[in-house]
Amino acid sequence: MAELTKKERMQIPRQPMPEQAPNSRNKNFTEVNLGFTEELAKLEAERCLQCPKPKCVEGCPVGVQIKDFIKLVAEGDYLAAASKIKENNVLPAVCGRVCPQEEQCEARCVTGVKGESVAIGRLERFVADYERTTTGIRQAEIKTKTGKKVAIIGSGPAGLSCAGELVQLGHTVTVFEALHDIGGVLIYGIPEFRLPKEIVKAEVDALEALGVEFKTNSVIGFTDTIDELMTVEGYDAVFIGVGAGLPYFMNLPGENYNGVYSANEFLTRVNLMKAYKFPEFDTPVFDVKGKNVAVFGGGNTAMDAVRTSKRLGAANARIIYRRSEVEMPARIEEVHHAKEEGIEFVMLTNPLEFLGDEAGWLHGVKLQKMELGEPDASGRRRPVAIPGSEYVMPIDMAVIAIGNGSNPIIQKTTPDINFNKWGNITVEEATMKTSKKGVFAGGDIVTGGATVILAMGAGRKAATAIDEYLMENAVIQ
Amino acid sequence: MFKIVSAEFLAPEVKRFEIEAPKIAAKRKAGQFVIVRISSQGERIPLTIADSSVERGTITIIVQGIGKTTREINEHKAGEFFMDVVGPLGLPSHIENFGTAISIGGGVGTAIAFPTAKALKEAGNHTISIIGGKSKEYVILENELREICDEVYPTTDDGSYGYHGFVTGKLKDIIESGTKVDFVLAIGPIPMMKAVAEVTRPYGIKTVVSLNPVMVDGTGMCGGCRAVVGGQTVFVCVDGPEFDAHEVDFTLLMKRNNTYRSEEKSALDKHVCSLDKQFAEAINN
C-alpha cells in the first residue's frame, strides 16, 4: 500500500471508542469502553503525522515515545508497539484507560489544531490489551543486579511506577501496602466499569514477574517505621508514595447521619470490598435501590461515585456542584458518560445542612443556589450565595467527594521528614528528595490530590534520582 | 497468612486466639488494634490486641461471635490460618501513674481493657478491675486479671457470681466508700460506657473509653469510623480508639453503629441456615 500523504491522513476522522449502550451499562459494572478493534486502531494510527519534533510527548508526564509506538501500530506490529510504550510506562493498560489525555499528550497534538487530535490514549489501551490478551505481558530486560535494596511505601500508581523503573535498573525492590491487595487507588477508588481490576492485577503480576516483591498488610509507620526499614531491614533507599488518603468533609450540620459517606468509603466498599456483590461478598454498602442519591463535588471521583450509585440501582443520582459545569475538574469523557447514563447535574448549588430522622438516618439536604462572581485564587469564578434561594431536596444517601487531605501516619512516625502546612511532604522538585537522607517521595502525598499519571510521572522521576543516589553511594563505598 | 497457634472459648461465643504475627507482637502497645480478614470475600474486622508475646512472636485477640464474620472467625481452630492481619493500628493508650486506676470491662470489653489494665499496673497505679457479665459464664479473664491487679471485682446482672448488678453499681460503691479514684477506663457495650461516664462525671474523675465504630481500612482513609468528641468530628482509627468519656457523643455512636443492621442480620440468618443445612446433611449421611 502506498504511503498516505499528509492531506490524506488528515482526512481520516478520529475513530470513536466503541462503548456499551448507556441504558444497559448503567445497570452493570462491566467496562463502559470496549476498546478499538485492529481495524480501528490501524486507521486511527494512520492519522498520526509523525512530526519530526513531536509536541505530544512533551505533554506526557512519563515521556512515552508516542509517535514511535503509533507508527508500529500503523504497521501492524502491535507487540513491538507494546514494547516501545513499556520503555517509559509500566502500566500502559491502566493509563490507556484513566489518563486525562485530552489535557496532556492529545492537547499538544498538531492534528488537533484544525481538526481532532490523534486518539493517543485509545491506541495505548489497544496496544496494551493486545499484548496482554495474545502473548501475555512480556518481560522487559533487567540490568545486572546492583545489590541495592529499595523500599517503596504504597502500591498505588506512584509506587508501582517507581518500583517498575528501579527493578529494571537492577535494584531489589519491595513494595509495602497497607491494604490486603495491591494497586492503591487503582483498586479501591477507580470503579470496575472504568478500570477492570483484572487489568490492574495483570500489570501488577507483570511487575512481580520482573522481580518486584509485594508485601500487603504493612502500614509503614506502624508495622515498621521508615527508620527501621533503613537500619534494621537494610533498605538503602525509600520511596514514599502513600497518596492523599484522608477524606475531607464539609463540616456541615448533620454530616454524621447514617447514609452520609466520604467518596473514599463509598468507593472502597464497592470496589475493593466488592459490596456490589453483597451478600456473596461480606462487606455491605447502603442499599440505594429506588432511592435518591446526591454526590457533592465536581471531580472524577464525584463522577465515579455518582455513576456507581446509579449502577447500584439509585432512582435519582445527582451531582451537586457549587460552581457551573465549565469549572468542573472532571474529565469531559466522564461527564459525558455520566449524562448518557442518566445522571442529573445540579449546578451552582451548595449544601447548607443535612437533615435526618430521630434514629439518625439521612432524609434530605438543605441547598442554596449560587451565582458566579469574580475569579478566585484558582482562577475560576468564585461561587456566591443567592440570598433567599434555600430549598430542601429529599435524599437517602450523600457522598462527599470534595478531595483528600494527607494521611497523618508517616508524618507522626517520621519526625525528620519535612511537611508543609497542609501535611504534604516537601521535596526537591528535580529529584523528589525529602529532607531525610535516602528518602524520596512523590504522588499525591507531595502534590495533594491529582491524577494517576502525574503520580506515575513523579514515581518515575524519583526512580531516576534514587538510582543515581544508590550508584553514587556504591562508588564511594 | 497468619497461623493460629491456639484457640479456645472463654465464654459462650467468646473465643481467644493466639496468632503468629511477630512484627505486630514486637510493636504493639496497649490500646492498639488489628484488622482481620478471613477470606477473599471477607470483610475487614477491627479487633483490639488483648496481649502479645515477643518471644513467641504472637498476639492474642478475643472475639465475640455476633455477626456472620465474627462467628466465622470463631469457627477457626488452632493450626488453621487467618488470611490477613494488619496492625498495630490506632494510638496506644495514654498510660501514667495516676494513683488509683479502675479498669472496667463489660463482656468481651474485658479483653480489650486487659492490656491497658496491665500497663496501668506496670506504671505503678493501684489497679482495680471490675469485670461484668450477664451471668457467671460470661465473666472472662478473672484469673489473668487477678495476677496483675490489686483488686478484682466480678459482677453479674443475674447475681450468679460476684456482685449482683451492673459494673456501674460496683463502681459507685467503690467511689462512695471513700476510695480516692484518679482514673477510670471503661470498655464494653456503648450503654455501659455511657453509664460509667455518667457515674464519674459528678466526681470529675478522668474517664477514658475505647470506641468500636464501623471501620473499613483502619488507617484514616475512609472516614467511616467518624465519631463526635467534644463537639468535633474525629476518625476513631487514627485519632483514637480511646477518648475522654465525658466528651463522647455516645448516642451518635450508637446510631451510626446501626447503619448496616439489616444487612448484618440477613447475612447472619443465611450463614446460620447454611450451618443448619450442613448439620442436617451430616446427620443424613
Side-chain angles (χ1 to χ4, degrees):
Chain A
M1 193 173 76
E3 184 81 353
L4 294 177
T5 64
K6 193 174 160 188
K7 197 175 169 193
E8 284 168 330
R9 290 180 190 281
M10 292 184 68
Q11 276 167 354
I12 308 170
R14 179 175 158 114
Q15 298 304 303
M17 171 60 81
E19 297 170 346
Q20 264 198 80
N23 230 338
S24 56
R25 74 178 189 237
N26 66 8
K27 295 171 192 69
N28 67 53
F29 279 83
T30 315
E31 197 174 7
V32 170
N33 290 341
L34 302 172
F36 274 174
T37 58
E38 274 189 60
E39 292 69 31
L40 287 174
K42 266 192 167 166
L43 199 55
E44 184 62 33
E46 295 282 9
R47 297 182 64 234
C48 174
L49 303 180
Q50 295 290 314
C51 305
K53 286 185 183 168
K55 292 270 187 224
C56 51
V57 65
E58 291 170 17
C60 176
V62 295
V64 168
Q65 298 162 65
I66 294 165
K67 76 164 186 178
D68 298 341
F69 100 75
I70 293 183
K71 186 157 185 280
L72 290 164
V73 175
E75 290 166 5
D77 195 348
Y78 311 124
L79 291 174
S83 301
K84 185 52 76 181
I85 294 175
K86 288 196 297 185
E87 284 177 28
N88 304 85
N89 186 341
V90 298
L91 306 174
V94 170
C95 290
R97 289 172 164 80
V98 303
C99 266
Q101 292 97 4
E102 65 283 358
E103 294 167 15
Q104 298 178 344
C105 51
E106 293 179 15
R108 317 276 180 110
C109 174
V110 292
T111 63
V113 178
K114 282 187 183 164
E116 283 191 288
S117 58
V118 174
I120 301 167
R122 293 170 191 173
L123 288 172
E124 181 182 37
R125 171 192 159 129
F126 166 78
V127 168
D129 288 358
Y130 182 89
E131 183 193 39
R132 196 183 62 256
T133 54
T134 54
T135 60
I137 303 176
R138 294 157 310 143
Q139 279 196 24
E141 266 182 50
I142 291 184
K143 288 196 181 164
T144 322
K145 282 280 173 195
T146 62
K148 297 287 180 185
K149 281 174 72 179
V150 186
I152 309 262
I153 309 172
S155 71
L160 291 179
S161 135
C162 191
E165 295 297 324
L166 287 169
V167 80
Q168 289 179 47
L169 291 167
H171 304 300
T172 303
V173 180
T174 309
V175 178
F176 295 90
E177 167 57 46
L179 291 169
H180 54 259
D181 220 344
I182 300 297
V185 73
L186 305 176
I187 55 161
Y188 76 72
I190 303 176
E192 180 75 16
F193 57 84
R194 211 149 72 73
L195 178 62
K197 302 312 147 207
E198 65 171 21
I199 286 168
V200 180
K201 186 172 184 309
E203 297 205 324
V204 168
D205 286 348
L207 288 173
E208 203 163 16
L210 277 179
V212 175
E213 185 191 7
F214 289 100
K215 285 193 176 172
T216 54
N217 296 320
S218 302
V219 184
I220 300 305
F222 287 150
T223 314
D224 279 301
T225 62
I226 290 179
D227 283 320
E228 284 163 339
L229 289 177
M230 300 184 84
T231 55
V232 184
E233 309 265 338
Y235 287 97
D236 302 292
V238 173
F239 174 75
I240 306 171
V242 295
L246 192 79
Y248 286 134
F249 284 89
M250 296 189 288
N251 294 318
L252 294 178
E255 210 166 6
N256 294 323
Y257 281 126
N258 295 346
V260 182
Y261 283 110
S262 73
N264 278 3
E265 183 183 2
F266 177 63
L267 291 172
T268 299
R269 282 179 178 275
V270 179
N271 298 330
L272 176 72
M273 306 308 296
K274 308 245 180 296
Y276 67 95
K277 294 183 181 172
F278 181 87
E280 183 197 337
F281 282 71
D282 290 334
T283 305
V285 69
F286 181 82
D287 184 0
V288 297
K289 277 182 213 82
K291 305 267 175 71
N292 296 313
V293 173
V295 175
F296 298 87
N300 290 324
T301 307
M303 298 305 138
D304 285 345
V306 78
R307 294 171 70 196
T308 296
S309 72
K310 186 77 190 174
R311 282 162 173 74
L312 290 171
N316 293 295
R318 300 184 175 99
I319 285 283
I320 297 180
Y321 184 56
R322 64 198 182 117
R323 304 180 197 248
S324 72
E325 201 175 313
V326 193
E327 286 86 14
M328 283 205 311
R331 288 183 70 189
I332 295 160
E333 179 181 282
E334 306 309 327
V335 175
H336 171 72
H337 278 159
K339 285 187 175 167
E340 282 183 340
E341 289 166 14
I343 306 302
E344 194 184 320
F345 283 67
V346 182
M347 298 292 99
L348 288 164
T349 303
N350 203 31
L352 296 175
E353 183 183 356
F354 292 102
L355 309 169
D357 64 19
E358 274 299 301
W361 288 91
L362 177 75
H363 62 51
V365 59
K366 190 174 174 188
L367 299 167
Q368 180 168 45
K369 292 196 172 148
M370 313 293 277
E371 58 191 354
L372 291 178
E374 295 300 308
D376 64 11
S378 72
R380 296 177 298 179
R381 291 178 65 192
R382 185 193 303 274
V384 182
I386 302 171
S389 66
E390 297 85 357
Y391 69 106
V392 169
M393 177 189 281
I395 59 170
D396 307 285
M397 185 178 97
V399 178
I400 316 294
I402 57 166
N404 283 281
S406 56
N407 193 288
I409 294 176
I410 295 279
Q411 188 173 2
K412 280 186 182 166
T413 55
T414 324
D416 48 348
I417 287 182
N418 289 345
F419 287 81
N420 67 16
K421 63 175 172 179
W422 297 282
N424 298 119
I425 297 177
T426 48
V427 295
E428 276 180 26
E429 209 181 312
T431 60
M432 315 307 280
K433 266 185 194 160
T434 70
S435 54
K436 188 176 171 70
K437 190 172 182 319
V439 180
F440 300 72
D444 284 4
I445 189 61
V446 170
T447 56
T451 60
V452 166
I453 190 67
L454 284 174
M456 286 185 64
R460 189 178 157 79
K461 194 154 92 174
T464 308
I466 291 170
D467 180 54
E468 274 172 28
Y469 168 81
L470 292 172
M471 298 328 278
E472 242 172 56
N473 279 17
V475 174
I476 294 164
Q477 282 164 7
Chain B
M1 297 290 264
F2 296 78
K3 190 175 181 185
I4 301 163
V5 179
S6 69
E8 62 191 324
F9 278 102
L10 299 180
E13 302 288 357
V14 176
K15 198 167 185 178
R16 171 162 62 191
F17 295 94
E18 190 178 349
I19 310 161
E20 263 177 24
K23 288 221 153 184
I24 303 172
K27 271 314 194 31
R28 74 98 197 174
K29 294 195 171 82
Q32 290 187 297
F33 64 94
V34 288
I35 282 186
V36 173
R37 193 178 76 126
I38 54 170
S39 76
S40 49
Q41 287 85 37
E43 55 185 330
R44 295 169 62 93
I45 302 290
L47 294 162
T48 299
I49 305 166
D51 208 346
S52 66
S53 162
V54 180
E55 301 76 49
R56 290 199 299 275
T58 59
I59 58 167
T60 301
I61 54 171
I62 297 176
V63 185
Q64 182 170 26
I66 302 171
K68 172 175 184 270
T69 300
T70 46
R71 289 194 188 193
E72 280 176 343
I73 289 176
N74 284 358
E75 286 161 20
H76 284 67
K77 300 177 187 72
E80 294 179 341
F81 294 83
F82 289 136
M83 186 179 230
D84 297 292
V85 178
V86 57
L89 301 170
L91 300 178
S93 306
H94 173 75
I95 304 290
E96 62 176 272
N97 189 350
F98 297 100
T100 295
I102 301 185
S103 150
I104 303 172
V108 77
T110 302
I112 305 170
F114 178 79
T116 307
K118 196 170 159 186
L120 285 167
K121 179 63 195 168
E122 282 162 6
N125 289 282
H126 178 82
T127 308
I128 301 170
S129 268
I130 305 174
I131 49 175
K134 278 189 288 190
S135 59
K136 188 178 184 221
E137 55 185 351
Y138 290 95
V139 175
I140 60 170
L141 300 179
E142 185 184 347
N143 292 336
E144 288 85 344
L145 281 163
R146 287 204 185 278
E147 279 176 32
I148 57 168
C149 294
D150 300 286
E151 301 170 42
V152 176
Y153 300 105
T155 72
T156 51
D157 303 356
D158 64 359
S160 56
Y161 187 58
Y163 174 90
H164 185 177
F166 295 133
V167 289
T168 40
K170 184 67 202 171
L171 174 65
K172 249 188 209 155
D173 283 359
I174 294 173
I175 295 171
E176 283 168 5
S177 74
T179 307
K180 184 177 171 292
V181 178
D182 303 293
F183 178 80
V184 171
L185 167 78
I187 304 177
I190 299 170
M192 182 209 96
M193 296 194 285
K194 192 176 177 190
V196 168
E198 291 320 313
V199 170
T200 58
R201 194 191 300 275
Y203 298 95
I205 301 169
K206 184 178 167 62
T207 304
V208 165
V209 288
S210 178
L211 305 186
N212 60 336
V214 173
M215 283 188 193
V216 185
D217 62 292
T219 62
M221 190 267 280
C222 85
C225 65
R226 59 199 192 277
V228 169
V229 179
Q232 297 291 318
T233 295
V234 295
F235 288 5
V236 172
C237 67
V238 286
D239 298 324
E242 293 183 1
F243 295 95
D244 182 343
H246 299 143
E247 299 285 338
V248 171
D249 184 341
F250 288 106
T251 310
L252 176 73
L253 180 66
M254 233 177 304
K255 288 176 181 170
R256 285 187 59 80
N257 277 3
N258 283 336
T259 304
Y260 303 104
R261 199 162 54 176
S262 68
E263 284 84 359
E264 282 158 5
K265 191 176 178 305
S266 75
L268 179 63
D269 289 349
K270 224 171 168 170
H271 178 63
V272 172
C273 280
S274 82
L275 284 183
D276 287 348
K277 208 171 140 204
Q278 280 174 30
F279 182 65
E281 278 167 7
I283 287 178
N284 289 335
N285 289 337

